[in-house]
Amino acid sequence: MPAIAVHTIGKSILFGEHAVVYGYPAIAVPIPDLQTTVTIFPLIGEKQETIIYEAPDLGTAANLSDLPANHVLGKAVELFKQAYGIQKIPSFRLKINSQIPVASGLGSSASISVGIIKALSQFLGLKLSVQRINELAFELEKLYHGTPSGIDNTVVSYEQSLWFTKGQEPEFLRAPFPFHLLLINSSIPSLTAESVAAVRKERENDPVRVNGLLQEIGDLVIIAKEAFSEGNLVELGKLMVKNHALLQKLHVSLPELDAIVNLALEKGALGAKLCGAGRGGNVIALVREEKVHDLQQTFMAHGYQGIVHTKIQ
Ligand code: PMV
């Protein structure tokens, strides 16, 4: 049996992060310019169920039996065994290579979760629907993030811009023409679970204020959906700035993220906001095509590295 390689993509949340955890809608977009590759090499002649996990980017190479009980690959193997009545999995080595920076709000964990599910299903000869891949990947996401909304694994599974409400099927969105986004990394790592927990705590301490902010984000996402579908970039940009201000009030921004947003706006971006969990990670900026190069140069001149340019349809 030859090796199996699958490629999965990154993602960004355009509107509605954090509020989405409490049942409000959010809009997410795929970032195909950032990819994860998951490769499975069958181990022929090894004793039954030898499973080796390699993540060279993180310096990990280990036998699954030596990894923690709640390891994502162990969980994936258990999911397949339970769901499909598999007694013993043939031996294999699984390798992960990813271009997506970890803990930066660009879907690194979702990309790995979806990639592991896709690769294992192929290895086991199962033909799974995208919906089923998404369901299984959501189980892995819970290991990374505790109580995720499911938006990350959904956009990474379907590879399309979408409108997402927790627990519901996604609705796919399409803009009338492609538009350009820049992702600028603050290089401050941030763990989604910690940021979500901080908002939850703040909501417990001050429910009226925090629920009001979450509702405002939810209302804004409804307007953004219309602007997205109409290709109204000026309106989308303004809504991004408003969304960022609401996230600031939820205390998930940082001065470093605000500085990136301000620089993007000063240099002509139509809008900018933090994306994902915040407290670090990336800022996403909506930029007219003719300004993309200038903005990239500006950010590089300010010392930002690994700026990603992507086109959304
Ligand atoms: O930072 P990311 O890419 O993990 O995005 C998290 C988005 C949140 O809304 C903060 C959490 C969630 O589960 O939806």
Side-chain angles (χ1 to χ4, degrees):
M1 192 190 197
I4 290 164
V6 304
H7 305 283
T8 54
I9 59 163
K11 62 90 217 181
S12 178
I13 299 181
L14 203 49
F15 295 100
E17 50 274 268
H18 286 289
V20 69
V21 174
Y22 299 91
Y24 294 100
I27 296 175
V29 294
I31 311 284
D33 311 77
L34 290 174
Q35 298 225 336
T36 296
T37 303
V38 178
T39 314
I40 290 189
F41 304 89
L43 294 176
I44 316 288
E46 281 290 337
K47 70 174 168 41
Q48 275 260 303
E49 227 179 73
T50 299
I51 298 177
I52 296 169
Y53 176 81
E54 280 179 19
D57 306 331
L58 303 176
T60 311
N63 202 304
L64 186 57
S65 53
D66 297 327
L67 289 167
N70 63 349
H71 190 268
V72 67
L73 182 56
K75 172 80 179 171
V77 167
E78 280 314 309
L79 281 174
F80 277 101
K81 281 185 169 177
Q82 277 171 19
Y84 300 99
I86 302 167
Q87 300 288 323
K88 283 242 181 268
I89 303 258
S91 297
F92 67 91
R93 175 165 66 91
L94 180 142
K95 187 165 99 179
I96 295 174
N97 294 97
S98 187
Q99 302 170 321
I100 308 176
V102 292
S104 71
L106 298 183
S108 150
S109 69
S111 192
I112 291 171
S113 299
V114 174
I116 289 178
I117 297 295
K118 277 188 171 177
L120 264 180
S121 63
Q122 285 186 30
F123 178 62
L124 297 170
L126 299 164
K127 283 199 168 41
L128 302 188
S129 65
V130 180
Q131 189 186 21
R132 184 70 181 132
I133 289 168
N134 188 31
E135 276 169 16
L136 293 171
F138 184 46
E139 296 306 312
L140 302 190
E141 277 287 272
K142 290 180 189 166
L143 292 178
Y144 285 107
H145 300 315
T147 54
S149 64
I151 189 169
D152 289 8
N153 47 284
T154 302
V155 65
V156 171
S157 293
Y158 286 95
E159 302 192 353
Q160 290 183 59
S161 299
L162 49 84
W163 166 267
F164 177 89
T165 309
K166 193 172 161 179
Q168 296 180 16
E169 285 304 306
E171 188 185 322
F172 301 109
L173 301 178
R174 205 169 164 81
F177 48 82
F179 59 87
H180 296 259
L181 295 173
L182 286 181
L183 293 156
I184 304 110
N185 197 344
S186 67
S187 296
I188 301 169
S190 159
L191 289 179
T192 302
E194 286 177 5
S195 189
V196 169
V199 172
R200 179 168 298 125
K201 192 148 190 268
E202 192 156 335
R203 184 167 174 261
E204 279 162 15
N205 293 339
D206 196 354
V208 174
R209 192 184 75 86
V210 173
N211 283 332
L213 291 171
L214 297 172
Q215 177 71 52
E216 275 191 71
I217 294 175
D219 293 346
L220 179 148
V221 178
I222 295 172
I223 307 169
K225 182 187 187 190
E226 206 174 307
F228 187 104
S229 305
E230 287 169 354
N232 187 342
L233 299 186
V234 171
E235 176 72 358
L236 272 182
K238 284 186 190 157
L239 290 167
M240 286 169 79
V241 175
K242 279 192 190 160
N243 197 163
H244 183 75
L246 291 166
L247 290 164
Q248 280 176 322
K249 291 186 185 166
L250 280 180
H251 300 125
V252 293
S253 191
L254 294 177
E256 290 88 341
L257 297 173
D258 297 342
I260 299 174
V261 168
N262 292 338
L263 183 58
L265 297 175
E266 204 179 289
K267 297 294 172 188
L270 293 164
K273 63 181 271 293
L274 71 85
C275 61
R279 309 197 339 160
N282 275 259
V283 164
I284 188 166
L286 176 64
V287 180
R288 286 199 195 281
E289 187 170 10
E290 59 274 18
K291 295 233 174 192
V292 166
H293 181 73
D294 276 5
L295 256 102
Q296 274 175 319
Q297 294 299 316
T298 301
F299 277 104
M300 278 158 63
H302 279 78
Y304 293 95
Q305 285 171 357
I307 299 156
V308 176
H309 168 214
T310 193
K311 233 172 25 172
I312 302 300
Q313 179 88 49

